[in-house]
Amino acid sequence: MDKELIKELADYTHNAEKEKREIIKITAELYPELSIEDAYLVQEELVKQKLEEGRKIIGPKMGITSEAKMKQMNVDNPIYGYIFDYMVVNEGESISIDDYIHPKVEPEIGFVLSRDLEGPGVTALDVLSATEYVFPAIEIIDSRYENFNFTLPDVIADNTSAAGAVFGTSLKRADEVELDVVGVTLSINGEIQALGAGAAVLGHPANSVARLANMLSKKGEKVKAGQPILTGALTAAVHLSPGDYVSAKYGGLGDISFFVK
């Protein structure tokens, strides 16, 4: 891909996010042959644009971390994107539905490392030995594409639908919790909408961080200490509406909630 096309496609998704409007997926019209490798080039340009606007990366996020979903989409690796400072929502606070297009929520387990991890060859054991703490989180996703309709390259180019993150304040050492069997209930207005467990994320959330380190190593990058890492959804995504009270309860990891106006 030439630089002009990369910039055009990054502008396309970036402007849709800023203007809070739906767009047709890139592979439908603009560039049907978009590959996963091309899509990461578009994502890099999108990230660069945000940084030039004065935004700051808070940490990486993983997507497509279900083994079944990866098999369905015929891919060997999950995908990654980035949470920025303007996306962070404080626990217990409110978001406005008007700031999004068609937001959904997913409960996740977050990691913060005490030292950098650089692949290739990083394992889940490496991740756990480098983990400072884990915490409960809720990710807000908001694909810019019409009806959440996209291919894998499309969603990568759209920064994996990143739109928001609520980081829980209950911090645990990794050896205090059996992360693969941690159960979560996601409720809206007191009614359970989805159930899941840590094993939904590549068998164990630490595997997700290891995959991220190994994927980033191909670009000469590493997973950085001190950054919150969202490891992937524990349940299916649930749609948000005005007036919703969103709550996720994690066995052994605590609870987290926020409101929708």
Side-chain angles (χ1 to χ4, degrees):
M1 290 180 80
D2 62 47
K3 290 183 179 179
E4 279 190 21
L5 180 57
I6 291 169
K7 185 177 184 306
E8 178 188 347
L9 298 181
D11 287 342
Y12 183 61
T13 59
H14 194 185
N15 289 335
E17 180 189 356
K18 289 191 287 190
E19 295 165 12
K20 302 174 183 59
R21 60 178 173 82
E22 290 185 322
I23 52 176
I24 298 169
K25 62 186 179 184
I26 291 169
T27 56
E29 292 185 1
L30 276 178
Y31 193 64
E33 55 270 48
L34 186 73
S35 68
I36 288 175
E37 292 75 18
D38 292 338
Y40 276 116
L41 294 176
V42 176
Q43 186 191 105
E44 286 174 23
E45 171 62 22
L46 177 63
V47 167
K48 176 169 161 282
Q49 290 180 6
K50 290 176 185 288
L51 294 173
E52 287 172 350
E53 290 177 350
R55 307 298 195 180
K56 294 180 181 176
I57 292 174
I58 295 298
K61 53 152 290 190
M62 295 290 277
I64 317 294
T65 49
S66 154
E67 294 281 11
K69 189 73 172 177
M70 286 169 56
K71 189 174 182 180
Q72 176 191 337
M73 303 194 81
N74 197 30
V75 292
D76 298 323
N77 277 311
I79 60 177
Y80 63 84
Y82 297 93
I83 299 293
F84 283 81
D85 52 354
Y86 68 92
M87 300 178 180
V88 176
V89 179
N90 292 324
E91 185 178 357
E93 291 193 348
S94 299
I95 64 168
S96 171
I97 205 80
D98 294 335
D99 291 335
Y100 305 88
I101 302 167
H102 38 207
K104 299 181 181 183
V105 286
E106 302 171 337
E108 308 205 7
I109 293 173
F111 279 62
V112 170
L113 305 181
S114 58
R115 57 183 169 83
D116 294 351
L117 279 180
E118 188 169 7
V122 173
T123 67
L125 286 177
D126 295 329
V127 171
L128 291 171
S129 70
T131 298
E132 184 170 350
Y133 58 84
V134 294
F135 61 93
I138 298 176
E139 185 184 1
I140 303 167
I141 57 171
D142 190 26
S143 173
R144 272 49 78 168
Y145 302 120
E146 283 183 344
N147 304 316
F148 264 83
N149 178 18
F150 47 73
T151 67
L152 201 62
D154 285 307
V155 71
I156 292 168
D158 185 33
N159 191 26
T160 62
S161 305
V166 189
F167 299 127
T169 55
S170 171
L171 314 180
K172 302 280 187 182
R173 293 196 319 269
D175 60 5
E176 288 183 286
V177 189
E178 290 187 67
L179 292 168
D180 54 340
V181 297
V182 165
V184 63
T185 58
L186 177 63
S187 300
I188 305 288
N189 302 322
E191 294 187 8
I192 295 175
Q193 301 294 317
L195 301 166
V201 179
L202 297 171
H204 192 293
N207 288 325
S208 181
V209 181
R211 292 282 191 102
L212 175 62
N214 295 330
M215 291 167 75
L216 289 177
S217 72
K218 295 175 183 175
K219 300 196 302 183
E221 298 178 8
K222 54 193 173 185
V223 182
K224 297 175 183 175
Q227 286 190 336
I229 305 157
L230 294 182
T231 54
L234 302 179
T235 72
V238 175
H239 182 73
L240 292 181
S241 300
D244 282 347
Y245 170 65
V246 182
S247 151
K249 297 180 184 296
Y250 300 74
L253 259 187
D255 305 341
I256 185 170
S257 62
F258 69 97
F259 299 87
V260 184
K261 294 190 291 187

